[in-house]
Each structure stands twice: as structure tokens, then as C-alpha cells.
Amino acid sequence: MSQSLKATLQTKAARLGFEAFGVADAAAPWEAGARLKAFLEAGRHGSMTWLAETADRRSHPQALWPDAKSVVMLGASYAPQADPLSLLQAKGQGVVSAYAARKDYHDVLKGRLKDLAQWFAKASGADVKVFVDTAPLMEKPLAQAAGLGWQGKHTNLVSREHGSWLFLGAILTAAPLEPDAPEQDHCGSCRACLDICPTAAFPAPYQLDARRCLAYLTIEHQGPIPAEFRDALGNRVFGCDDCLAVCPWNKFAAASQDAKLALREDLQAAPLADLAALDDAAFRARFAGTPVKRTGRARFLRNVLIAIGNSDDPQTLAAAETALADESPLIRGAAVWALRKRLDAPAFQRLKETHAPLEQDADVRREWGEAGDKHDGGNPPNETPAEAAGVHPHAP
């Protein structure tokens, strides 16, 4: 009965658009909880305080729901048609991570998971709970336990069929289902994902320091981007795909054909000057229904202004100068840095004499105060003396 029910569940999942399917034992012991504890103790989660606040429930599936017996893990491919790394060469374009330049996967997958879970609950008579990165559940280790792939050296899931491009969803159920065999690690001696990282965010294989990760810095980090990472940001304005895109297993991944998760090229890369001109209403309209909207205009334009500083497009200079008067100090500070980097000393000094005396925000004043020398050694905003000295705590 269990095998028949599982087979029917897999068939229905495929019809709903899930390309990957597997079952894990919800009660099985695992090492993920200990790895999470070490990650948090080292402070590598940065300002993502919810990870620490929910650590106990996140440590094991049954810590979240004691009645869970099985975990049905599902994956939907979002493999892009073209290599995202090629977009980094167009310095006048702002690049949005492939996962975010489309309809929010949380909304798409959750609807499908609910349909599937409702059918399963009725067929099995067992309780179910549905998750799409919306609760303290460690989905990547569960996906490996269910045989969907393995956590590569970049800590993301890698599939032999879909490469690094899988959205994950989970159904916890009180029904006992036959678990699938866990996937084995197939990274071998490859270091491509580690070596390509522009900020050295991997202190060791299979370990990530989020505080150095451009995805964290452009999406989750709420303050000014630390100065040591601004050049490395390049033209990325939301997220970073480098470690995913370089994975050799991607050669087996066919481009996603899921219409509801279709990549929007107009969102993935757009002129930086156009992005810098977005007011709040235009920002919300442009990114409605996508993950970008959650970050908000201030953080997004902070990233855009840093990208303008890294650009050589003359059309972006006017946008940066306009941003000096923005109501958000986060945007103003990034604009100061961009103009300091792009302008010669006399031109920048003229702007400083006009704007700096009127500035009330401490972070922005520090940006102006550092602005006399394009290559000075001043500490970036919010950086501690230890960080300024290059001391970054690492953990296993």
C-alpha cells in the first residue's frame, strides 16, 4: 500500500511540474543540526537573526513537528537558457540573480505543494504540512537524504540531472513512506565554485561565511555594503550566481520550460541608469510578484549605486549625482562612493562642497569624509577595527 501510494504521489508531482522527487525518513539522525550550531556559533549568519532564534526547531524535522514520519522532497528546475556569468561583462547593466528575475518561486511552488498535499492527506488519511523555505526546516540536507542531489562544496544542492538549479519544496507527513536512498557526493576534487567566489566567502569546502557572500550582502544585509566588498560586487544588483553557474554538473541541466517560472530577461539585466531612476512606486511595479520586491527600494538602489561605481558607462553618472539628494541615507551613501570612484578629484570636491555640509546621517558623513582619496585606507561604514585589519572570524 505504501509503495503504491508513493508511486501515485510521484506521478501526480510530475504532472504538477516537479522534476525531482524523493522521500526521506523524518526520524533518521543526521549531522545537519550540528553543522548549523557551528555555523551560528561562528557568527557566519550575519544579521539573519531568525536562524539563531529558530535553531532548536531547525535542528531536526521532528523538532519542528514531532509527529512527522516522512518527508516528501520535491524540486522544480529553474535552469537558465544562457550562462549567467556572461552578464557580468556588461558593466552598464544591473544583473539580478537567475532565481529572482521571475515570479516568486515561493508562490508558485506553494500552490502546487498544497494541491499535492491535499490529495495525499485524503488518500493516506495522514496529517500533512507544506513548506517552501517558509519555516525552520533544513531543506537542502533533507533533499540529499531523499536522493534529489547532494550539498556541494558551495553548500547548495547539486543534482546530476538539474545541476545547481533546483527550487525545493517539502511535504512533512505523519504517514510512513518507504525512504529513497540518499544521494552521494559527486564533487570529487573539483574546486570551481570555491575558486570563482569574488569575495572568498568559503573558508573551506562545504562551509559558507554569509557575511562575505554577495547574495547575503545584496539581499539580507540592511546597512551599507562594507567597503572591502564593493569592487567585487561588480554589476550584481541582487544576488550572485557565480558559484552555481560555474558548476560542471550544469552541463546536464536542460533549460527550464516551466511557463510559470519563466525567466524575465528584462528583469535579469537592465541599464543601471534606468534602475537608479526608480522611485518607490516604480520599484514596486517593476518587481511586483518577484523576490526582489521583498528587499525594498533602498537596499536595491544601494546595490545599483555600488554597481554604478564599478561601471564605466558615462550615462550613469547623472543618475548617481541625482541620488545624492535621495531621502534614503543608504542610497545617498552609496551614491557618494560611486561618484568618489568615478570622478576626478576636482569634480568630486565640487559635489562635496555642495552636499556634505547638509548631510545629517553619520554613515553618509563618513562616506564624504573618506572621499578625498579614491584609494585611501579609511574604515568603511559600520566596520570594526578588527574587520578593518582583515581579521574575519572563520569556523568549520
Side-chain angles (χ1 to χ4, degrees), residues 225-257:
I225 302 290
E228 64 176 307
F229 302 125
R230 294 176 188 177
D231 288 342
L233 192 72
N235 61 336
R236 303 169 186 86
V237 296
F238 189 91
C240 177
D241 287 333
D242 291 25
C243 65
L244 301 177
V246 77
C247 180
W249 286 96
N250 290 336
K251 65 185 178 183
F252 300 108
S256 174
Q257 301 299 313

Side-chain angles (χ1 to χ4, degrees), residues 111-182:
R112 296 175 182 179
L113 285 170
K114 284 183 176 179
D115 289 346
L116 190 61
Q118 287 171 0
W119 172 85
F120 183 77
K122 185 175 181 180
S124 66
D127 290 339
V128 297
K129 294 182 184 294
V130 168
F131 303 98
V132 189
D133 193 27
T134 51
L137 185 70
M138 299 179 71
E139 293 162 326
K140 290 183 288 187
L142 283 171
Q144 179 163 352
L148 271 66
W150 68 97
Q151 280 192 263
K153 293 178 181 178
H154 54 15
T155 75
N156 293 292
L157 194 76
V158 183
S159 161
R160 286 186 288 180
E161 296 81 20
H162 307 289
S164 293
W165 311 111
L166 276 179
F167 289 136
L168 297 175
I171 300 174
L172 266 62
T173 175
L177 290 172
E178 182 69 23
D180 291 289

Side-chain angles (χ1 to χ4, degrees), residues 322-335:
T322 298
L324 292 174
D326 196 272
E327 65 180 4
S328 167
L330 201 56
I331 294 172
R332 295 197 304 273

Side-chain angles (χ1 to χ4, degrees), residues 2-368:
S2 173
Q3 282 295 93
S4 174
L5 192 61
K6 178 181 172 183
T8 305
L9 180 66
Q10 183 171 4
T11 299
K12 289 184 176 294
R15 289 175 181 168
L16 285 169
F18 292 108
E19 291 98 339
F21 174 95
V23 175
D25 180 358
W30 62 347
E31 298 177 357
R35 294 200 304 267
L36 173 64
K37 182 179 179 181
F39 175 80
L40 294 171
E41 288 178 347
R44 290 180 177 171
H45 58 303
S47 62
M48 295 182 288
T49 55
W50 65 88
L51 289 174
E53 293 165 355
T54 60
D56 290 342
R57 286 184 293 154
R58 198 178 292 271
S59 63
H60 191 277
Q62 289 189 328
L64 178 62
W65 185 30
D67 293 337
K69 291 185 173 60
S70 305
V71 185
V72 180
M73 290 301 305
L74 301 124
S77 172
Y78 70 102
Q81 182 75 43
D83 182 1
L85 294 175
S86 64
L87 300 173
L88 302 179
Q89 305 307 312
K91 297 299 184 181
Q93 303 279 315
V95 177
V96 170
S97 177
Y99 94 88
R102 63 186 81 220
K103 189 172 182 180
D104 195 328
Y105 73 94
H106 297 90
D107 299 332
V108 176
L109 265 60
K110 193 153 193 176
R112 296 175 182 179
L113 285 170
K114 284 183 176 179
D115 289 346
L116 190 61
Q118 287 171 0
W119 172 85
F120 183 77
K122 185 175 181 180
S124 66
D127 290 339
V128 297
K129 294 182 184 294
V130 168
F131 303 98
V132 189
D133 193 27
T134 51
L137 185 70
M138 299 179 71
E139 293 162 326
K140 290 183 288 187
L142 283 171
Q144 179 163 352
L148 271 66
W150 68 97
Q151 280 192 263
K153 293 178 181 178
H154 54 15
T155 75
N156 293 292
L157 194 76
V158 183
S159 161
R160 286 186 288 180
E161 296 81 20
H162 307 289
S164 293
W165 311 111
L166 276 179
F167 289 136
L168 297 175
I171 300 174
L172 266 62
T173 175
L177 290 172
E178 182 69 23
D180 291 289
E183 180 59 282
Q184 301 301 308
D185 189 312
H186 298 285
C187 286
S189 61
C190 179
R191 290 183 46 90
C193 61
L194 307 179
D195 294 339
I196 199 173
C197 180
T199 57
F202 301 106
Y206 308 102
Q207 297 178 27
L208 171 70
D209 188 338
R211 296 166 298 183
R212 301 183 66 88
C213 175
L214 292 179
Y216 163 80
L217 290 168
T218 57
I219 299 172
E220 301 293 347
H221 181 64
Q222 296 185 14
I225 302 290
E228 64 176 307
F229 302 125
R230 294 176 188 177
D231 288 342
L233 192 72
N235 61 336
R236 303 169 186 86
V237 296
F238 189 91
C240 177
D241 287 333
D242 291 25
C243 65
L244 301 177
V246 77
C247 180
W249 286 96
N250 290 336
K251 65 185 178 183
F252 300 108
S256 174
Q257 301 299 313
D258 193 325
K260 290 189 176 180
L261 289 171
L263 183 68
R264 286 182 51 185
E265 294 183 4
D266 63 311
L267 296 185
Q268 190 178 27
L272 288 169
D274 292 351
L275 296 176
L278 295 174
D279 60 17
D280 192 61
F283 169 80
R284 290 173 178 274
R286 185 181 185 93
F287 294 106
T290 76
V292 179
K293 184 180 176 183
R294 178 178 65 87
T295 296
R297 174 182 177 269
R299 273 185 277 175
F300 182 75
L301 261 68
R302 169 201 62 188
N303 305 337
V304 170
L305 269 299
I306 297 298
I308 285 176
N310 294 326
S311 169
D312 56 4
D313 182 357
Q315 296 183 9
T316 60
L317 286 174
E321 187 170 343
T322 298
L324 292 174
D326 196 272
E327 65 180 4
S328 167
L330 201 56
I331 294 172
R332 295 197 304 273
V336 175
W337 181 84
L339 290 164
R340 171 167 61 100
K341 187 174 180 185
R342 294 282 303 280
L343 296 176
D344 60 33
F348 183 85
Q349 183 63 28
R350 287 193 292 271
L351 289 175
K352 180 178 180 179
E353 290 171 356
T354 300
H355 293 275
L358 304 176
E359 183 57 60
Q360 299 298 311
D361 182 84
D363 284 337
V364 184
R365 288 202 303 270
R366 278 192 287 270
E367 294 286 355
W368 283 116

